[in-house]
């Protein structure tokens, strides 16, 4: 069992409630797919099998998510997966806020094995119809501070909508004004250094 340091750091940096969830999911993936390799893509943990993405997981402020790359073509005998057309959250297992929200070991085993069989068979995910990504409006106080540092503003404006969103939501989710101010200050610093919001994980 070989662990990726970036994923270990990701788990250690997650909220306390999320750590046992992420560790359990990671353990199951390795248990049922011994050939799996770990990597960090798009700033969150992914697991690959034979060079293709098998599944991924992520932690947010109040819940975790876990999903399969081939979910659009996977059969779900236990009826526990959320598919693209009916998703209420990222991933296929809904919002996971505690270990009690996880499926049983047998259920997750069956899904992992099915995903492996599809990769073995060379199956590709169904193409999804997607519209243009709607860009969130940058908060006025964040924009004001960015404008005071031209190199930071230039980098921020070069970011695609999804990566701007990471900074915007990080600032917006601050619980206090002091925390918000600190996050804005950090955003400006990191942008001036041409770093994305989750650069620590990307560099691992």
């Amino acid at each position: 069992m070989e662990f990726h340091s970036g994923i270990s750091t990701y788990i250690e940096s997650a909220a306390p409630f999320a750590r046992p969830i992420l560790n359990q999911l990671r353990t199951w993936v390795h248990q049922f797919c011994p050939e799996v390799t770990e990597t960090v893509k798009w700033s969150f943990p992914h697991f690959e099998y034979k060079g293709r993405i098998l599944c991924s997981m992520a932690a947010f402020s109040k819940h975790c998510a876990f999903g399969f790359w081939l979910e659009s073509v996977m059969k779900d005998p236990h009826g526990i997966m959320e598919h693209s057309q009916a998703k209420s959250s990222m991933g296929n297992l809904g919002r996971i806020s505690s270990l009690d929200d996880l499926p049983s070991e047998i259920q997750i085993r069956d899904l992992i094995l099915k995903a492996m069989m599809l990769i073995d068979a060379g199956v590709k995910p169904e193409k999804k119809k997607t519209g243009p990504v709607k860009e969130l409006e940058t908060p006025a106080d964040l924009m004001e501070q960015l404008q005071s540092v031209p190199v930071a503003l230039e980098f921020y404006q070069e970011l695609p909508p999804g990566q701007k969103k990471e900074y915007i939501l990080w600032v917006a989710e601050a619980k206090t004004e002091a925390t918000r101010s600190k996050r804005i200050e950090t955003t400006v610093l990191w942008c001036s250094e041409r770093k994305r919001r989750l650069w620590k994980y990307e560099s691992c």
Side-chain angles (χ1 to χ4, degrees), residues 58-181:
F60 301 96
S61 60
K62 295 183 179 179
H63 73 280
C64 296
F66 182 82
F68 293 92
W69 189 251
L70 292 174
E71 58 91 9
S72 61
V73 292
M74 283 178 65
K75 292 183 179 179
D76 178 19
H78 302 292
I80 60 174
M81 290 177 62
E82 290 188 354
H83 291 278
S84 298
Q85 66 270 25
K87 280 185 182 180
S88 61
S89 61
M90 177 180 171
N92 304 123
L93 302 181
R95 292 174 177 266
I96 307 168
S97 301
S98 72
L99 290 172
D100 291 338
D101 293 331
L102 289 171
S104 69
E105 184 172 319
I106 291 175
Q107 291 173 330
I108 199 73
R109 178 204 64 191
D110 289 351
L111 291 175
I112 290 172
L113 293 179
K114 286 182 183 300
M116 291 169 62
M117 290 174 60
L118 290 172
I119 290 176
D120 287 336
V123 175
K124 304 291 185 182
E126 291 181 349
K127 292 185 177 180
K128 302 174 183 178
K129 296 180 180 179
T130 58
V133 177
K134 184 177 180 181
E135 187 166 348
L136 294 180
E137 183 177 353
T138 302
D141 51 352
L142 172 57
M143 180 55 71
E144 181 180 355
Q145 293 301 312
L146 285 167
Q147 289 173 337
S148 69
V149 183
V151 292
L153 177 63
E154 180 183 9
F155 176 73
Y156 179 79
Q157 291 178 329
E158 291 173 359
L159 291 173
Q163 290 172 15
K164 284 183 183 176
K165 182 179 179 180
E166 290 176 353
Y167 271 125
I168 291 170
L169 292 180
W170 189 47
V171 170
E173 290 172 355
K175 298 277 193 275
T176 67
E177 284 301 318
T179 300
R180 184 183 178 95
S181 296

Side-chain angles (χ1 to χ4, degrees), residues 2-81:
E2 187 173 344
F3 289 157
H4 187 290
S5 61
I7 293 182
S8 297
T9 300
Y10 183 96
I11 294 173
E12 291 166 4
S13 302
F17 84 88
R19 294 171 202 156
I21 298 170
L22 298 176
N23 278 318
Q24 181 62 76
L25 289 167
R26 189 186 203 184
T27 297
W28 276 339
V29 173
H30 282 273
Q31 179 180 343
F32 301 125
C33 183
E35 298 175 53
V36 77
T37 58
E38 299 186 342
T39 186
V40 176
K41 294 178 182 286
W42 305 296
S43 305
F44 58 95
H46 283 69
F47 301 93
E48 294 185 342
Y49 171 63
K50 295 185 176 179
R52 291 181 58 189
I53 298 174
L54 177 73
C55 52
S56 61
M57 64 183 186
F60 301 96
S61 60
K62 295 183 179 179
H63 73 280
C64 296
F66 182 82
F68 293 92
W69 189 251
L70 292 174
E71 58 91 9
S72 61
V73 292
M74 283 178 65
K75 292 183 179 179
D76 178 19
H78 302 292
I80 60 174
M81 290 177 62

